[in-house]
Amino acid sequence: MAGSVTFGQEIGWGQRPLLLVIDVTRAFTEPDRPLGSDATALVETLNRLIGATREGGLPVMFTRVAYDQPDLSDAGLWARKIGRLDDLVADSDGVEMDPRLDIHAGDPILTKKYASCFFGTDLASRLVSAGIDTLIIAGLSTSGCVRATTVDAIQQGFRPIVVEDAVGDRWQDAHRQALADMKAKYADLATTDAVTERLRQWPSKEQGPKQ
């Protein structure tokens, strides 16, 4: 019966989280670019999350979209649907991580070609081999790559925690709708304040919380 369905149940945290910072590259964070918007406040919030994750001794991974072929043939039909993806060709400065972002030498940067960080990449294998069971998801954009990654995460058995004030979108209506949709069906939502507090106090892997 439709009336018996209950949406928005809590998934909870697992034993070993990873902070996944999605597509905070110049193509998306500089407002004068075709795909860009002003991400100044978002980058500041992300740096708070990154700092807390490092303080808790937990891993951070960054992602970017980049195409190897100048004609965007490796973007498939997505290039036709979206257009203006030329700023994401691998040798352009649009694929560079935002210089304001707190990236350390050696931090992993996963390159993808489509919305989900799982599609066509080895992300799931990396997570499994590292014992990761929880993804703290932040970055760009809420209704696009963040949502697609979140859906794939729960489908592949990872617990998605979307940091609701550390994701952004060009369109606020899409941003709000995507957050509501993810909260109802695919992820837990949490604020930066709540997540950073928990990350800073994170126990070792062996002592992690069990749910």
Side-chain angles (χ1 to χ4, degrees):
M1 295 175 57
S4 64
V5 176
T6 303
F7 290 96
Q9 300 297 300
E10 289 292 313
I11 300 170
W13 293 60
Q15 292 184 314
R16 178 74 172 166
L18 174 143
L19 174 61
L20 188 65
V21 181
I22 299 177
D23 297 357
V24 185
T25 59
R26 294 179 61 185
F28 299 119
T29 63
E30 296 179 357
D32 58 339
R33 293 180 179 268
L35 301 171
S37 59
D38 184 2
T40 301
L42 176 64
V43 171
E44 292 174 357
T45 301
L46 290 170
N47 283 339
R48 286 182 57 207
L49 279 173
I50 294 166
T53 304
R54 298 192 199 283
E55 189 174 334
L58 294 165
V60 182
M61 180 183 290
F62 301 87
T63 78
R64 65 172 191 157
V65 178
Y67 299 107
D68 300 319
Q69 302 303 317
D71 64 356
L72 298 174
S73 56
D74 51 338
L77 290 175
W78 208 21
R80 178 177 298 183
K81 181 65 179 178
I82 297 179
R84 304 308 304 272
L85 292 181
D86 50 295
D87 208 21
L88 299 176
V89 174
D91 61 356
S92 74
D93 59 6
V95 304
E96 296 173 0
M97 306 305 295
D98 189 302
R100 300 168 294 182
L101 204 58
D102 181 19
I103 299 181
H104 290 184
D107 284 340
I109 301 176
L110 180 78
T111 298
K112 63 189 180 72
K113 298 182 186 294
Y114 292 94
S116 173
C117 295
F118 289 92
F119 185 83
T121 75
D122 63 346
L123 177 58
S125 296
R126 293 196 201 192
L127 298 177
V128 169
S129 65
I132 302 298
D133 60 4
T134 302
L135 286 184
I136 304 163
I137 299 174
L140 297 166
S141 65
T142 316
S143 63
C145 298
V146 168
R147 184 186 182 279
T149 299
T150 298
V151 173
D152 276 357
I154 196 169
Q155 289 176 152
Q156 298 201 41
F158 301 101
R159 299 171 183 237
I161 311 289
V162 176
V163 189
E164 57 188 314
D165 55 340
V167 293
D169 205 294
R170 300 172 197 84
W171 302 292
Q172 285 305 301
D173 286 348
H175 170 77
R176 288 188 290 267
Q177 176 56 39
L179 284 176
D181 182 57
M182 289 186 287
K183 181 178 181 179
K185 294 177 285 187
Y186 305 114
D188 292 350
L189 300 189
T191 64
T192 297
D193 286 345
V195 172
T196 54
E197 181 179 358
R198 184 157 191 171
L199 290 174
R200 288 192 179 104
Q201 301 174 2
W202 195 263
S204 68
K205 181 178 177 180
E206 292 75 17
Q207 298 171 334
K210 296 181 180 180
Q211 296 186 13

